Amino acid sequence: MVNNIKNKFLSNIFHDIKTLKEKYYLLGSISKFALTPYRLRNFIVSYLAKNFGIVAKNIRPTTLYIDVLRGCNFNCIMCKAGEYSPREYLSFERFKRTIDMFPDVSILFPIGTGEAFLNREFYKMLSYATSKNFYVFFTSNFSVIDVEKFLETKVDEIAASIDSVNPERFRKIRVNGDFNLVVKNLRKLIELKRKRNYKKPIISLKMVVMKENLDEVEDVINFGMKEGIERFYIESVYASEWFVPEFANSDNPKLSRDDIEKLKNLLQRYKRKGIKIRFTPYCNFERGDHFSGYCHFAFFCLSVDIYGNAFPCDFLWAKPDSTFGNIFEDFEGVMKRRYEFLKNFRKKIPDACMGCPIYYKP
């Protein structure tokens, strides 16, 4: 019994060390010297809380997600961001005020409930964030990006959302999306970065896998390799009734154990060739390249929506009752409620997390 516990403990530690290698943006923050001693302490404190239940009262997030708009020019089948009307935008001043509250954060995801580049102040936000020495990484649908303006923001990494290389299927998944326009802008960014001999941004590709495109994973990776993509983020779709009930209740998002195993083996073949791939399966039976054990989003991250409300993760933006409170109205109260949330997280699944497939990864 003791040996089994010891072996599982050591196995989890080794898995987490391997996961650190796969968590490219964390290693990127180290190489950028964004991981200062205090930020490193933050990471260690969060890891101890997640894996051993030792929750320090002054625990702070290592990773910050900020919602920069509500609205999108695409109407993807697994997301309802395109339905927001009228669109709402985070102002630069509020963005600045938000990240200035978190100097001990290492990694910043300035994302939108929709396409972030629709916010005209987004370029200004990115420039400010990189000047504060965060590792800045986000995903875009690449439909409205101004490549020249973006390159000057000095962002560390950007991922293009491409779920299919078949224009018809792409439009079926990313409704209103134009595959050829996305590829045109992606190629322009890759070429301009090469011409200017810039080291940044790292240009990645993110694919959300479902039944609809499971047969295309290899085609998407091969397409990315041919175009000059540097990293791949492959994830199964996070299907929740909080977002699009019709999609969540269909067969499309329901990948089986066999589907996940075949996908994992396929990606492993590419990894052995030296291709950088991070696999995120949103299911409770496969860890992929996640840390072992309890939800890493809860212990490492804080997500702030467009109104300043703080949540354990951005999936919960759709559940307003799960907020820790508003950072502009009661910052210390938010941090205190987050501490209480984490202190009890391992003892009993929080009501807000009921049904989430990543509450615990075996």
Side-chain angles (χ1 to χ4, degrees):
M1 178 72 173
V2 173
N3 283 338
N4 285 341
I5 294 173
K6 181 180 177 182
N7 289 338
K8 184 175 181 181
F9 172 77
L10 291 174
S11 174
N12 285 346
I13 292 292
F14 286 132
H15 176 84
D16 290 348
I17 291 171
K18 178 177 177 289
T19 297
L20 280 173
K21 289 176 64 181
E22 307 290 354
K23 210 170 178 71
Y24 302 119
Y25 41 83
L26 177 59
L27 295 181
S29 71
I30 295 172
S31 63
K32 186 182 177 181
F33 302 106
L35 203 63
T36 61
Y38 192 76
R39 288 173 174 178
L40 178 59
R41 173 200 165 279
N42 249 10
F43 177 81
I44 294 170
V45 166
S46 299
Y47 185 83
L48 291 175
K50 187 182 83 69
N51 282 48
F52 305 104
I54 306 168
V55 184
K57 278 197 171 183
N58 62 345
I59 188 170
R60 291 290 188 268
T62 66
T63 303
L64 185 64
Y65 289 77
I66 301 181
D67 190 15
V68 300
L69 91 157
R70 291 285 169 94
C72 195
N73 56 337
F74 285 11
N75 198 19
C76 304
I77 59 174
M78 62 287 198
C79 175
K80 64 179 182 182
E83 297 177 11
Y84 285 107
S85 182
R87 293 173 186 162
E88 296 180 88
Y89 303 93
L90 184 71
S91 69
F92 170 74
E93 288 306 319
R94 182 158 280 209
F95 175 86
K96 179 178 179 294
R97 187 177 166 195
T98 301
I99 65 172
D100 285 348
M101 290 178 176
F102 297 94
D104 42 6
V105 158
S106 305
I107 302 161
L108 180 69
F109 289 92
I111 59 177
T113 308
E115 172 52 38
F117 281 113
L118 291 172
N119 187 329
R120 294 182 181 179
E121 292 193 286
F122 190 51
Y123 299 96
K124 189 177 178 182
M125 294 176 188
L126 295 176
S127 295
Y128 184 76
T130 57
S131 75
K132 304 302 285 187
N133 209 33
F134 298 110
Y135 187 87
V136 182
F137 174 34
F138 67 99
T139 302
S140 167
N141 66 26
F142 268 70
S143 63
V144 293
I145 183 174
D146 183 323
V147 169
E148 300 227 11
K149 280 177 71 174
F150 169 66
L151 269 180
E152 299 312 314
T153 65
K154 298 180 172 59
V155 160
D156 296 282
E157 184 170 359
I158 183 173
S161 289
I162 297 179
D163 306 320
S164 172
V165 291
N166 178 312
E168 289 183 12
R169 182 183 278 178
F170 181 91
R171 185 180 288 273
K172 183 178 179 182
I173 297 172
R174 303 273 174 181
V175 179
N176 300 329
D178 182 340
F179 175 74
N180 293 322
L181 175 62
V182 170
V183 173
K184 177 183 175 182
N185 288 333
L186 177 61
R187 286 173 176 166
K188 185 176 179 181
L189 177 61
I190 292 170
E191 180 62 17
L192 201 57
K193 177 190 169 186
R194 185 191 64 78
K195 280 184 177 179
R196 295 185 180 178
N197 200 28
Y198 285 1
K199 292 184 178 180
K200 293 189 294 187
I202 292 165
I203 302 172
S204 308
L205 185 151
K206 179 179 177 182
M207 180 184 186
V208 177
V209 183
M210 59 196 84
K211 290 285 189 181
E212 178 75 33
N213 62 354
L214 182 59
D215 63 339
E216 239 189 306
V217 175
E218 194 162 10
D219 291 340
V220 170
I221 294 173
N222 288 336
F223 161 82
M225 291 168 57
K226 181 181 176 183
E227 295 295 334
I229 292 295
E230 298 163 78
R231 295 175 182 168
F232 295 87
Y233 296 90
I234 309 295
E235 61 183 51
S236 62
V237 65
Y238 186 96
S240 168
E241 292 188 10
W242 311 334
F243 302 118
V244 186
E246 318 84 68
F247 178 78
N249 294 322
S250 72
D251 290 331
N252 208 344
K254 297 178 176 66
L255 298 185
S256 67
R257 285 178 179 267
D258 188 51
D259 290 334
I260 293 290
E261 188 62 26
K262 287 178 180 177
L263 179 54
K264 180 181 173 183
N265 291 337
L266 170 66
L267 300 180
Q268 198 58 46
R269 291 208 316 267
Y270 279 93
K271 287 183 180 183
R272 284 195 289 268
K273 295 176 184 178
I275 307 303
K276 293 182 177 180
I277 298 176
R278 184 164 188 257
F279 178 39
T280 303
Y282 287 112
C283 60
N284 57 11
F285 54 82
E286 170 58 48
R287 287 186 292 192
D289 298 318
H290 272 267
F291 288 126
S292 60
Y294 293 94
C295 176
H296 72 282
F297 286 114
F299 286 92
F300 288 95
C301 306
L302 187 71
S303 297
V304 181
D305 74 9
I306 195 169
Y307 312 112
N309 301 311
F311 297 83
C313 72
D314 58 321
F315 297 131
L316 292 176
W317 286 344
K319 297 180 77 174
D321 292 345
S322 63
T323 180
F324 295 135
N326 192 287
I327 60 170
F328 301 121
E329 297 169 4
D330 184 16
F331 180 80
E332 291 305 320
V334 166
M335 292 296 105
K336 182 179 179 181
R337 284 184 283 275
R338 180 175 186 263
Y339 161 73
E340 294 294 337
F341 175 84
L342 296 179
K343 190 171 69 169
N344 296 308
F345 190 86
R346 292 164 50 99
K347 300 173 185 175
K348 179 187 175 185
I349 183 169
D351 290 343
C353 303
M354 286 290 182
C356 180
I358 58 173
Y359 168 70
Y360 184 84
K361 287 276 190 177

